[in-house]
Amino acid sequence: MLVLKFGGTSVANAQNIKLVLDIVQKKSKEDTLAVVVSAFSGVTDLLLDASKKAAQKDKAYRDIISQIDQKHKAAIEELIPLSEQSDLIENINSNINLLKTLLDGCFLLGELSNRTADIVASFGELLSSQIIAVALKQKINAVFKDSRELIKTNSDFGKANVDTETTNHLIANYFKENKAQVVLLPGFIASDEAGNTTTLGRGGSDYTAAIIANATHATALEIWTDVNGMFTANPKIVKQAQPIETISYQEAMELSHFGAKVLYPPTIQPVLDSNIPIWIKNTFEPDAFGTYISNENQAGNNPIKGISHIDKIALITLEGSGMIGVAGSSKRLFEVLSNHSINVIFITQASSEHSICIGILNQDAENAKKAIDKTFELEIAQSKIEPCIVEKDLCIVALVGENMKNHQGISGKMFSTLGKNNVNIRAIAQGASERNISVVINEKDVKKALNTLHERFFEDNTKQLNLFVMGIGNVGEKFIDQIHQQKKFLKENLKINVRVIALANSRKMLFDEDGINLNDWKAKVDNGEKASVNDFISKVKELNLRNSIFVDITANYDVAMIYEQFLRMNVGVVTCNKIACSSHYENYKKLKELSRKYNAPFLFETNVGAGLPIIDTLKNLVASGDKVNKIQAVLSGSLNFIFNNFSETYSFHDVVKQAGVEGYTEPDPKIDLSGVDVARKILILIRESGVSMEMEDIENNCFLPEECMNTTNNDDFFKSLLKNESHFNQLLAEAKEKDSRIKFVAQYDNGKASVGLQFIPKESPFYNLEGKDNIVQFFTERYVDQPLLIKGAGAGAAVTASGIFADVIRIGNV
Ligand code: ADP
Ligand code: ASP
Ligand code: MG
């Protein structure tokens, strides 16, 4: 015989029930069947809600009853031929009337006992099983059997304990006599010795099926549900989760105990005793393999089978010197919890015995505290033990795998993965069986924790990067295009999965937790919500995604000032905006320290030389113990362009205008021409060399006449350039006379820095610098005579975008 169980979603409505009937019909050709069904999806919740409302004198329970009635009648209408409906409808009506009478009673008395709650809850399975039984009889030789006549329990209403001996006997006898090919039974419900209806606990239909499988020595137990098996993590939270093909009873038990709702934890024990395999199958995809649970040898070499979690957990800590070496403290603690029917899910004790920490459900926390403090009243009064501390809204995350015991370093990997993502671990427990490592974390971090752990242990080391991009002008647009183009390559070759979660400019912002489709991002941003820096920050915080990176592609002061908040949230910052790194040294230093403290990368390669690997090279020099003595550099693509093109026939004014048109200058060209931009760049290089310096310490030998410097807008500035033509022409003449070229050079030498024009002779490597190229020479302790030289295009949207991209990839490769 085979035992099949169909869960709530599988029997949610007539359409789904038809799928169930097909599966049952097909299976019945192979073997005799016991088919256990749950209540229609959501009905148990509705029933319990109605009973609570009735007891609180809220008349809304009546609407809930009508809702339940209609749900079932609708299914009957679609499933059962009209001629066969009347008996069934009569049956359903009498059940609904009984339910109404019971709840009216609760309403009148303003009271709901556990016993009554169980009777009320039983209607879910009673109604569904009766309807499905009739539908099934239309197709095959099937009978209905009320499980309450077979499964006997004690009278712990709500979650009764099964009297295994009597139950096995009753079931075995019934099936011995049974002649039908299929027996259909309601799950979840049972009865006590006196014949009162009891229930097996929420999700208990799985257990009903396991009890029947055990008592009948079934060949297999099949749990039919709405997913393709037991997954490596809850598929609703971890999108990348995969079904586990084979798993041991013990592993499945650990996963389900730690929250994998797909299987009700007590289900495994009865079938484990009689070594009956369990299949988890999907009603909506019956051909999918599913999960096979048995004690057979397990394939695969991943020591971790799955990750599960339980939310709404509270930690209770009892501590004090009075516990050290005093026998019986733990016994008293657990006894009092047991006396109050409080289930302990998690335990750790420090080896000093100074404190003991237990995890229980949030809902039990107040009762537990009261009871524990009462039990240790005397010790608390004598200050030997502290009143117990309760922390709520936590969550347990467990890694499960039989093979973990044969592998070292798994807990290390688990903790470092969580640590890197700034997930604070509140408590840790590892069972002696080493089948399970559990940690307690804050509930707000659970999604991030599950996804990072899953990525670390199951996803072939693919790392997902979540980008929040601010600034989508010239460079931003190029950056997004590059990501779009390279996405597939990065995933396949570098195992980096880049997703753009947010795009914003000064007017609009757009968020998509699953990643913005970059095909038509511009239109989507235009239709996005109104931009606000504060809302942007809140949203990043709220989403709390792993490996989050804020990408600043603006030149905005206010945006540069929010990096601190991101770094503190463990969100990395990649920026081409020079303002933060060239602000006060204290601020620069603070950002670097926050980056280290919160494990959030802070990268700004494009601050100097656009995409050229200048800062990265410098970092490597310094990290490997080299010391920078001198830097000489041409760092302004715009000034280079201007002085390369400035000639007797091409006036200074016209060249500057042209540089603006070609996008080589800042919107305000004075920032380039005054030398401020270059001073910022050399300052950043000096700081990255390990020297503390401020902007004011850099000597700026400005070549602009005062009149030009004093202008306050672009128009006046250009006018002043025209007016001072002779000044610029004089520079040109001087260069010619010295047979040299004019370059704007930034210099650092033994603690002193300056920027300004220089006449560069032919022999200098700077002489032949073309177009918008940049060049940097590092003279260090290792590069003494021949400097380390980096040269190439140092301005332009595409190269800047690729520099930003390279920083993002650097984070992906860590
Ligand atoms: P049924 O109504 O069929 O009994 P349940 O809702 O009780 O179904 O259990 C199935 C659900 O369990 C899935 O839809 C899924 O959301 C959830 N679930 C949680 N963890 C896991 C996991 N590790 N593998 C599969 N499903 C899981
Ligand atoms: N209907 C019950 C519940 O919702 C039992 C089950 O579905 O397994 O808890
Ligand atoms: Mg279930």
Side-chain angles (χ1 to χ4, degrees), residues 365-382:
E366 267 82 40
N367 279 345
K369 175 164 172 60
K370 244 191 251 159
I372 296 169
D373 286 350
K374 179 102 186 89
T375 301
F376 292 94
E377 201 169 28
L378 193 64
E379 287 89 340
I380 293 172
Q382 294 169 342

Side-chain angles (χ1 to χ4, degrees), residues 5 203 206 261-262:
K5 176 260 170 177
D206 297 344
K261 185 187 168 217
V262 66

Side-chain angles (χ1 to χ4, degrees), residues 90-338:
E90 205 174 301
N91 228 335
I92 300 299
N93 282 343
S94 75
N95 275 296
I96 294 284
N97 283 335
L98 188 54
L99 174 64
K100 219 181 261 163
T101 312
L102 275 166
L103 292 180
D104 286 343
C106 291
F107 179 78
L108 286 173
L109 294 167
E111 193 181 82
L112 174 72
S113 67
N114 289 345
R115 184 172 136 181
T116 309
D118 264 6
I119 304 179
V120 172
S122 74
F123 281 95
E125 269 69 9
L126 283 174
L127 295 172
S128 74
S129 60
Q130 288 173 48
I131 294 169
I132 297 167
V134 174
L136 203 53
K137 282 181 200 164
Q138 311 300 313
K139 294 178 173 257
I140 42 180
N141 171 15
V143 293
F144 170 82
K145 180 70 182 170
D146 189 335
S147 311
R148 291 176 296 186
E149 293 166 19
L150 300 179
I151 300 181
K152 288 300 193 182
T153 66
N154 66 6
S155 304
D156 282 351
F157 298 102
K159 192 177 176 184
N161 284 319
V162 175
D163 171 353
T164 311
E165 213 177 283
T166 315
T167 300
N168 282 351
H169 193 65
L170 286 168
I171 295 173
N173 279 348
Y174 171 77
F175 280 91
K176 214 185 290 158
E177 301 297 317
N178 165 57
K179 298 278 179 298
Q181 189 66 8
V182 177
V183 179
L184 194 116
L185 309 100
F188 184 53
I189 60 175
S191 65
D192 67 5
E193 217 179 337
N196 296 306
T197 296
T198 57
T199 61
L200 303 179
R202 292 306 306 269
S205 293
D206 297 344
Y207 190 28
T208 306
I211 294 167
I212 295 171
N214 175 39
T216 57
H217 305 290
T219 46
L221 165 63
E222 297 184 358
I223 305 285
W224 289 80
T225 181
D226 58 353
V227 283
N228 279 344
M230 192 166 229
F231 277 61
T232 47
N234 185 343
K236 293 223 168 84
I237 303 180
V238 179
K239 293 258 158 46
Q240 311 294 332
Q242 295 292 326
I244 304 166
E245 288 202 344
T246 56
I247 187 169
S248 72
Y249 289 121
Q250 281 77 12
E251 288 169 325
M253 191 136 50
E254 295 278 347
L255 279 175
S256 69
H257 263 296
F258 280 91
K261 185 187 168 217
V262 66
L263 199 60
Y264 181 51
T267 308
I268 296 167
Q269 197 59 49
V271 288
L272 187 153
D273 291 342
S274 43
N275 201 7
I276 298 167
I278 308 175
W279 281 97
I280 314 266
K281 297 281 288 178
N282 188 350
T283 303
F284 307 94
E285 251 186 90
D287 293 332
F289 183 83
T291 296
Y292 183 68
I293 308 172
S294 71
N295 61 8
E296 290 162 32
N297 268 346
Q298 303 296 315
N301 42 18
N302 190 346
I304 313 289
K305 270 292 163 62
I307 307 168
S308 53
H309 77 285
I310 314 176
D311 47 20
K312 301 195 177 64
I313 292 289
L315 270 188
I316 303 242
T317 308
L318 188 66
E319 61 184 9
S321 56
M323 292 180 51
I324 303 174
V326 180
S329 307
S330 328
K331 175 176 169 275
R332 283 164 67 201
L333 174 65
F334 291 112
E335 208 161 57
V336 62
L337 292 169
S338 158

